[in-house]
């Protein structure tokens, strides 16, 4: 592990125009509780000797590998909310920063409520809406709500409504949309505890498939 350059001009370096951006991800996921330990990983399109991890516009860590590699994972650290990205070097030049990854750290506020409309048991190809409501009052808050699904390492949807309720719509649901959903809300870099989970059940997939075949045959 190496330290990042101290000056902002050295941190920026010389970028390689037109080169593919790297890919950043975080394990175990981008929504974690307070006190969780995480590590970020960066993947370049080809082997590289150096990688940097950035947070909110500044360089955090630099890895100078003993041999060139395409993937690198930075050492585990205590989760700190923010916008993260990474980049890799080729010779004296650095790539552009990856697309940003927003890390959300939960447990700062009371959990919101979550309900499904019209129901959490729906037929395939129907539409379901999850309504997530913050329970704590703030003075002129600016909430960001996130819909989570168990087994998915990142939020399914984000919303920043004017009030304290977010409506997350899943149109034309399929069997793979079934599962356990929850939601959180964030104020600045602090996020609430997750809501109680709701299980979405999708029924009639086979009937919907047969109906779709009939519709297509009538249309041909």
């Amino acid at each position: 592990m190496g330290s990042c350059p101290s000056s902002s001009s050295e941190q920026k370096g010389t970028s390689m125009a037109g080169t593919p951006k790297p890919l950043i991800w975080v394990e175990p996921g981008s929504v974690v509780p307070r006190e969780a330990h995480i590590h970020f990983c960066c993947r370049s399109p080809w082997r590289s000797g150096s990688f940097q991890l950035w947070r909110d516009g500044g360089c955090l860590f630099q890895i100078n590998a003993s041999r060139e590699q395409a993937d690198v994972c930075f050492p585990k650290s205590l989760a700190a909310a923010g916008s993260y990205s990474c980049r890799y070097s080729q010779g004296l030049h650095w790539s552009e920063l990856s697309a940003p990854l927003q890390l959300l750290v939960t447990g700062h506020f009371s959990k919101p409520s979550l309900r499904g409309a019209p129901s959490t048991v729906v037929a395939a190809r129907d539409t379901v809406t999850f309504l997530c409501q913050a329970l704590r009052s703030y003075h002129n808050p600016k909430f960001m709500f996130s819909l989570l699904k168990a087994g998915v390492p990142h939020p399914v949807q984000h919303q920043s409504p004017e009030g304290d309720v977010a409506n997350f719509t899943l149109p034309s649901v399929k069997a793979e949309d079934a599962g356990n959903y929850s939601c959180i809300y964030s104020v600045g870099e602090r996020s609430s505890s997750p809501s109680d989970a709701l299980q979405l059940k999708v029924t009639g997939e086979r009937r919907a498939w047969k109906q779709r075949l009939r519709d297509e045959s009538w249309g041909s």
Side-chain angles (χ1 to χ4, degrees):
M1 172 72 70
S3 59
C4 291
S6 56
S7 70
S8 58
S9 60
E10 287 180 308
Q11 284 190 16
K12 291 178 181 177
T14 305
S15 62
M16 298 181 290
T19 57
K21 292 183 179 181
L23 172 70
I24 187 173
W25 72 97
V26 60
E27 298 175 354
S30 62
V31 181
V32 294
R34 284 192 294 179
E35 308 303 325
H37 283 79
I38 58 171
H39 60 248
F40 288 92
C41 299
C42 188
R43 174 174 296 159
S44 68
W46 44 66
R47 292 181 178 273
S48 175
S50 297
F51 294 82
Q52 288 180 343
L53 177 66
W54 287 53
R55 177 189 174 211
D56 297 331
C59 181
L60 282 181
F61 302 114
Q62 179 170 318
I63 287 182
N64 299 309
S66 57
R67 58 182 177 82
E68 292 191 341
Q69 55 199 76
D71 292 0
V72 69
C73 287
F74 297 88
K76 281 191 175 183
S77 59
L78 190 64
S83 179
Y84 291 81
S85 54
C86 71
R87 65 178 185 172
Y88 61 93
S89 70
Q90 286 288 301
L92 299 176
H93 303 285
W94 287 96
S95 71
E96 294 184 62
L97 289 169
S98 66
L101 184 155
Q102 191 71 31
L103 181 69
L104 301 176
V105 179
T106 64
H108 292 280
F109 310 121
S110 57
K111 63 185 178 183
S113 64
L114 181 66
R115 62 186 179 90
S119 171
T120 54
V121 180
V122 295
R125 302 175 70 182
D126 280 354
T127 294
V128 63
T129 299
F130 289 105
L131 293 87
C132 182
Q133 182 170 14
L135 300 182
R136 185 172 176 178
S137 298
Y138 294 90
H139 178 65
N140 296 326
K142 183 60 177 176
F143 291 120
M144 182 185 76
F145 290 85
S146 303
L147 181 66
L148 315 176
K149 183 182 180 185
V152 178
H154 51 78
V156 177
Q157 292 184 31
H158 293 291
Q159 274 196 25
S160 296
E162 291 299 323
D164 60 358
V165 180
N167 297 327
F168 296 104
T169 299
L170 301 181
S172 190
V173 296
K174 302 178 288 295
E176 53 264 36
D177 292 318
N180 291 320
Y181 289 81
S182 59
C183 70
I184 59 173
Y185 61 92
S186 305
V187 179
E189 291 192 343
R190 299 193 297 170
S191 300
S192 70
S193 296
S195 69
D196 293 335
L198 279 183
Q199 184 180 19
L200 177 65
K201 295 182 179 180
V202 180
T203 64
E205 182 73 11
R206 183 176 296 276
R207 290 195 299 272
W209 177 74
K210 289 182 177 179
Q211 181 63 48
R212 189 157 56 247
L213 288 180
R214 285 196 293 269
D215 293 344
E216 291 174 354
S217 64
W218 277 103
S220 60

